[in-house]
Amino acid sequence: MASLRQNDNQNIEDETITSREKVSTTTTVNEISLRNKPLKKCFLPPPTILDNIIKTKKRKNNIGEKYLFQNYSHQYENKNNIKFKKKMCASSRVCKMATINTSEENTLLDNQSSSSTDIKPPYLINSEPYSVAKQLLSKIDKCSSSSQRESLNSITSEKISLMTASEQSSVVQPLLTDLYQISMAYAYWKANKHQEMATFDLYFRKNPFGGEYTLFAGLEECLKFIRDYKFHPTDIDYLRTVLPTYTEQEYYDYLLQLDMNNIKIYAVPEGTVVFPRIPLLRIEGPILKTQLLETTLLTLVNYASLVATNAARFRSAIGTEKALLEFGLRRAQGPDGGLSASKYCYLGGFDGTSNVLAGKLYGIPIKGTHAHAYVSSYESMDDLTERELCDRKSGERRPFADLCLKYLNELGPILKILPEQTNKGELAAFTSYALAFPTNFLALVDTYEVLKSGLPNFLAVARALHECKYQAVGLRLDSGDLAYLSLEVRAKFREAATKFNIDYFKDFNIVASNDINEETLVSLEKQGHSIDTFGIGTHLVTCQKQPALGCVYKLVELDTSPRIKVSQDIEKVTIPGRKNLYRIFGHDGKALCDLLTKYDEPVPQPSVKILSRHPFSDQRRAYVTPTSVESLYKLYWADGEIKEQLPSLKDVREYAKDQLNQLRKDHIRDLNPTPYKVSVTEALFTFMHELWMKNIPIGELD
Amino acid sequence: MASLRQNDNQNIEDETITSREKVSTTTTVNEISLRNKPLKKCFLPPPTILDNIIKTKKRKNNIGEKYLFQNYSHQYENKNNIKFKKKMCASSRVCKMATINTSEENTLLDNQSSSSTDIKPPYLINSEPYSVAKQLLSKIDKCSSSSQRESLNSITSEKISLMTASEQSSVVQPLLTDLYQISMAYAYWKANKHQEMATFDLYFRKNPFGGEYTLFAGLEECLKFIRDYKFHPTDIDYLRTVLPTYTEQEYYDYLLQLDMNNIKIYAVPEGTVVFPRIPLLRIEGPILKTQLLETTLLTLVNYASLVATNAARFRSAIGTEKALLEFGLRRAQGPDGGLSASKYCYLGGFDGTSNVLAGKLYGIPIKGTHAHAYVSSYESMDDLTERELCDRKSGERRPFADLCLKYLNELGPILKILPEQTNKGELAAFTSYALAFPTNFLALVDTYEVLKSGLPNFLAVARALHECKYQAVGLRLDSGDLAYLSLEVRAKFREAATKFNIDYFKDFNIVASNDINEETLVSLEKQGHSIDTFGIGTHLVTCQKQPALGCVYKLVELDTSPRIKVSQDIEKVTIPGRKNLYRIFGHDGKALCDLLTKYDEPVPQPSVKILSRHPFSDQRRAYVTPTSVESLYKLYWADGEIKEQLPSLKDVREYAKDQLNQLRKDHIRDLNPTPYKVSVTEALFTFMHELWMKNIPIGELD
């Protein structure tokens, strides 16, 4: 049978399919077993037997006992299992586990059922948490309506309610900015210039990681920040201690009542593939307000886009077949760095995260099993307080720990190892973990020695689970030569599958998670490996190769007059004036170039030839005849409300994937990619260069 | 006179002096002027004159007018200036500015007064915000007592109240963890193993940035997290959707009531210089609880320590004379990454930040003036709506804009530039900025061209300010060759000082802020420069050289029995058991080595020879006879309360500085530093190696 490994991939791949309604056509044994049947319980042996087990284990306190003999009640309990309960035994430690009718046995093991299931085991199979998460979020909102700064409830549009304040880090607030924004705001106000209408462009000058594309991310957070923009009275109290004492009270009054209702935000949609010099956001409004937004918008866009792009590059390096999980929270740059990483790595093409809060807040599938500490916490099989597992179908109690030992001995000759040399603390840890999660057993196998200890112990437990009609998920490698180990492990899986005559053994999921970066993935693909899933942390979330994206925020128009920032560094010269942005597509549906036009220029038309010019270099120009033209800007914020229905994170993820498919492969490849062209119209070129000349002083040689 | 530049440094250096009560012995002209006198106001010319100015300026709307002619009232208004007010003119736009008695004039300009002042201009002179910030924090606490998750109010010690919940990012909560912690917790609980007493060590294996030391930071945040640890009911609702459906309700009930009251945290004090393999935190308690803390503690310590160390390295590269400001918010890894960076860069030796929220929350001095956009927002001197400034002493109205133009012309021959070639939009921007902040004028001079436009415009405005009895602060360079430009600018300052016969002109503060990293600082020091202050962003906060510190969290003891995690990579082997940690000092007061002992070993004594051994290598060992011994651990958390009075951030900063001074210079130097020795006692060595052998399976060659 095709079995669990494929199923896992299937479930992960489901995440990348646009329709949320899609029902998986294959399901796991475990899922099926729980599908149409009432959940029943089975119990451990009566106290007399249990006592023997407990004797093997010192007790440090009595608290544990409380759980040992109490009666059990559960939401899934129903009439059907009351009988079963009586039949088994009462008042012993609960071994609550779903069981199934024996009549279903064959169907189950043949894995042919296709109806949907409501069971979501924690590892790799947590594919549709969105609706649940959304419900939760609304609950949280009620619970925590008082848990936000009052001011955050200000100006939400009634029509479009999409984001909850609880999703937003409380540190995203007006004071999360550079002091000079507030100084400048005062100077504008003092000069009575604060109401002049300004346009700012937010853009970057260079793609990150030596690549030739960037995924734009962070827009939703920007809009939330703008929507909720409000100084708190204590903010003003603080500013009073910072600004000169002669700063007028009216200025503070003005700040206190400030909101962002009369500004406009045009932006490219979140998840769009973007390039140097194209304004990702165009911010229009009174200069004091638009100036105040600079730092926070940059903070929200820079890292979000950087890490989303990094994730997309990892995905591109390994292809679409493998599962990619983000495991970076512990090494992220601050708690919120970790949370942002989880969100935007998912956007960039990852399948899940280990970060539970990201799961709760953003509905991202969360994954994880156990750590080395869990393995180290057992020293021998004597440490096991529970040794029995109920058969999944019959409910019959099975001596699970003894089965594990038995199968370990059988594995000796199969794997050519000495069963007595595997670490028995590790075996005990695997056994107890399987007892806790029989439907989701995935073992970390490198605490002692992968091939001589971790692998045999894993296979022994997997074989014992099979005996009880459960199917193990796989194992995780966290050190050593991942290519070599994965191939060795896969070979052993195949041998075990043959010897035990259990086909799915050859397809166990191999997860690898040791300090993996983009180059590791490229190299693994080249040398060959047998890894199904990658757990990636440090290098992904901290963007080791380039830890910052350099978005800037530049004034391009004030009071209807264009502004330019010239510089001796030509790349730092701004493209002045309000502009529109179009993506030009060729015959093959691939993007040819992006074109910036003056705000009042006509929209480029399909089949009409245009002269596109390099913004800085006279000589570089080309004619282009679009097959189709896409206008990239949408109006996202105006009149104090969000003007576009924002897509879910999952939809943004799909959109980003489509966006990358619109690019020619040579723009995306990891080695020497071709730069994508960002050009300006003839009119914009002339306009810009005239202003440029006007603004540079002519020196005098002496 | 020694003048402002020295004063600025003085004020910054004040930050590094332990006693907060220290009163600066020098003060600025501006400070003195405002010291003992009631604040007065002066007003712009009557409407007839004002009308002429307004004519030069189109008005886009009427809102501005509201501010133009309204009466002014201010907290600092008092009897003394009512007369003055009447004498000048009423109902015109306010030019509120402190004035002084002419009788004080000489004293002021000679800058001899030494009494304290309550004026804190915003740039570079914001030295004692702590008490104000503390007051604010208590206010904020009151305002936002309902703004925290209810559960966060749980178990604060009455005796030690030091941190406010509002200081803590709301994302730091129990769900900010990896899923496997919660899975493992369930498995421990299920196996009735959750109450076993565990000891975890939190440590790193390698110093960052190719260096040989690390500053430990993040402890206070860890303690807050532990103090406030509480699952929210919605957290449990979410977990229910993630864990298998057979997970017992009792487990959820258990989680819901969980707190960290019966765990213990031993740690080295925040700001301590630390080294690979020494446990920074030793966490003791029931394994379920101590396991649940892993990810969050790592997140809180890793980046904090990394960026504090980075800051210390920047400081070490440039020496103690120069001012270092953190400007990284916009490029940080997420909003909280920016906030953490501001906090821990200050801890590591920076003098201030641009991040206003960091100023509010942590009392860090905040700095900043204006951006390129402010300069671009003016096109010509005609854009000025205000052109007059009141003389600081006499209150007399002076034609400030005209003075600026006049002095620009005088500067032509002095600087050998063409006055008509400087950008007049830039001059207007500088003029208006000086009108808004006459006591704190610091101009960004590279919007068009530093030497031909920015510098002459700055000096013209500075000269005009001097005419009105104000003293400019300096200028900022944000592009180009910083060493060259700073030297050129300083030379011009000197020439202007001589020609104008104003001594302090030669000492204007030169701030530099263009993509500076540690190497830039080292190189600038070598080649010579004239920069006084560095504003450092991207490379500092994102730790470009190495964006993550690799702290790990390892089980070393369970149920009184030691645990070891062996590995084929020798550096990954853990040092088992509960341990104590001592720092051994030699004759010169410098640290010789750190020594880990078994928990029950005697404390090393001064003058008593000890054998110190490398933890992994048999051959590497040495006798050491301490001159003095410091026990590095303190008990920070026990009995549900914080056991140590935590020092203020400023005190931690001082402590860190002292700590670095305890190290020999060869451990700190940037090129090939000497590794510092971390050793174990003979007893610990033997204990560890026996356990190690016991836990590795012996293979069989075949």
Side-chain angles (χ1 to χ4, degrees), chain B residues 283-301:
Chain B
I283 299 98
E284 303 179 3
I287 190 164
L288 183 146
K289 295 187 181 190
T290 46
Q291 184 74 66
L292 280 175
L293 295 175
E294 174 177 15
T295 307
T296 324
L297 295 187
L298 287 172
T299 304
L300 292 171
V301 170

Side-chain angles (χ1 to χ4, degrees), chain A residues 529-698:
Chain A
H529 65 90
S530 196
I531 299 161
D532 304 292
T533 302
F534 294 87
I536 306 180
T538 314
H539 300 309
L540 173 68
V541 305
T542 63
C543 303
Q544 170 210 35
K545 224 177 184 176
Q546 180 187 321
L549 181 66
C551 278
V552 295
Y553 187 89
K554 295 291 172 188
L555 180 68
V556 294
E557 188 177 291
L558 185 64
D559 192 16
T560 70
S561 142
R563 303 298 158 123
I564 191 166
K565 194 262 167 208
V566 301
S567 170
Q568 276 141 314
D569 179 359
I570 205 165
E571 290 293 299
K572 284 193 167 184
V573 174
T574 58
I575 302 177
R578 264 196 299 171
K579 296 169 289 290
N580 278 323
L581 175 61
Y582 303 94
R583 186 153 292 171
I584 311 294
F585 293 88
H587 303 295
D588 56 358
K590 299 286 180 188
L592 280 176
C593 69
D594 281 8
L595 185 71
L596 284 163
T597 71
K598 291 183 73 179
Y599 184 71
D600 48 9
E601 281 191 88
V603 179
Q605 295 301 318
S607 310
V608 179
K609 192 194 282 189
I610 326 159
L611 179 61
S612 80
R613 302 201 55 165
H614 187 282
F616 300 116
S617 170
D618 268 342
Q619 298 76 26
R620 292 159 74 184
R621 53 205 183 136
Y623 286 112
V624 59
T625 308
T627 301
S628 67
V629 175
E630 191 186 348
S631 174
L632 287 187
Y633 287 136
K634 288 183 182 176
L635 175 62
Y636 278 98
W637 175 264
D639 312 319
E641 62 177 25
I642 293 168
K643 290 290 187 185
E644 289 278 334
Q645 178 79 50
L646 297 190
S648 72
L649 179 62
K650 201 177 172 187
D651 291 344
V652 175
R653 183 174 181 272
E654 280 310 302
Y655 172 73
K657 206 170 148 190
D658 294 344
Q659 280 281 305
L660 287 166
N661 286 335
Q662 284 183 359
L663 282 194
R664 287 200 326 255
K665 282 197 174 154
D666 57 315
H667 297 309
I668 292 177
R669 69 179 174 220
D670 64 314
L671 197 65
N672 298 327
T674 314
Y676 179 86
K677 285 189 180 55
V678 172
S679 50
V680 299
T681 56
E682 178 69 20
L684 180 54
F685 183 89
T686 309
F687 171 75
M688 170 185 176
H689 284 253
E690 280 173 6
L691 200 67
W692 194 348
M693 296 303 278
K694 200 177 120 190
N695 276 277
I696 299 179
I698 304 172

Side-chain angles (χ1 to χ4, degrees), chain B residues 20-67:
Chain B
R20 289 209 204 139
E21 283 63 42
K22 182 175 181 297
V23 174
S24 173
T25 51
T26 59
T27 44
T28 66
V29 170
N30 306 320
E31 285 171 334
I32 297 159
S33 71
L34 295 162
R35 184 168 308 129
N36 297 315
K37 288 286 130 188
L39 292 165
K40 295 176 185 176
K41 295 172 181 176
C42 86
F43 294 85
L44 270 188
T48 46
I49 298 173
L50 201 71
D51 281 347
N52 290 328
I53 299 164
I54 293 172
K55 273 179 200 159
T56 66
K57 182 74 192 155
K58 272 177 296 177
R59 301 223 71 80
K60 263 70 58 193
N61 55 59
N62 295 321
I63 299 178
E65 308 286 337
K66 190 174 74 183
Y67 296 96

Side-chain angles (χ1 to χ4, degrees), chain A residues 60 71 98 108 121 143 168 203 212 229 252 305 321 374 380 393 398-399 423 433 483 501 549 590 603 619 670 689:
Chain A
K60 263 71 57 194
N71 283 317
L108 289 171
C143 296
Q168 182 171 303
Y203 65 97
E212 291 297 345
Y229 196 97
Y252 296 120
S305 301
E321 298 296 307
Y374 189 81
S380 75
K393 296 182 293 171
R398 302 298 306 273
N423 188 297
Y433 203 78
N501 195 24
L549 181 66
K590 299 286 180 188
V603 179
Q619 298 76 26
D670 64 314
H689 284 253

Side-chain angles (χ1 to χ4, degrees), chain B residues 200 202 216 219 222-223 225-227 260-268 280-285 289-290 293 297 553 633-639 641-644:
Chain B
F200 282 89
L202 188 153
F216 169 55
L219 178 61
C222 290
L223 294 171
F225 168 63
I226 287 164
R227 181 193 64 190
M260 290 294 160
N261 284 1
N262 63 338
I263 71 158
K264 283 183 183 169
I265 307 277
Y266 293 85
V268 301
L280 312 176
L281 282 85
R282 190 177 82 212
I283 299 98
E284 303 179 3
K289 295 187 181 190
T290 46
L293 295 175
L297 295 187
Y553 186 89
Y633 287 136
K634 288 182 181 176
L635 176 62
Y636 277 97
W637 176 264
D639 311 319
E641 61 176 26
I642 293 169
K643 291 289 187 185
E644 288 279 333

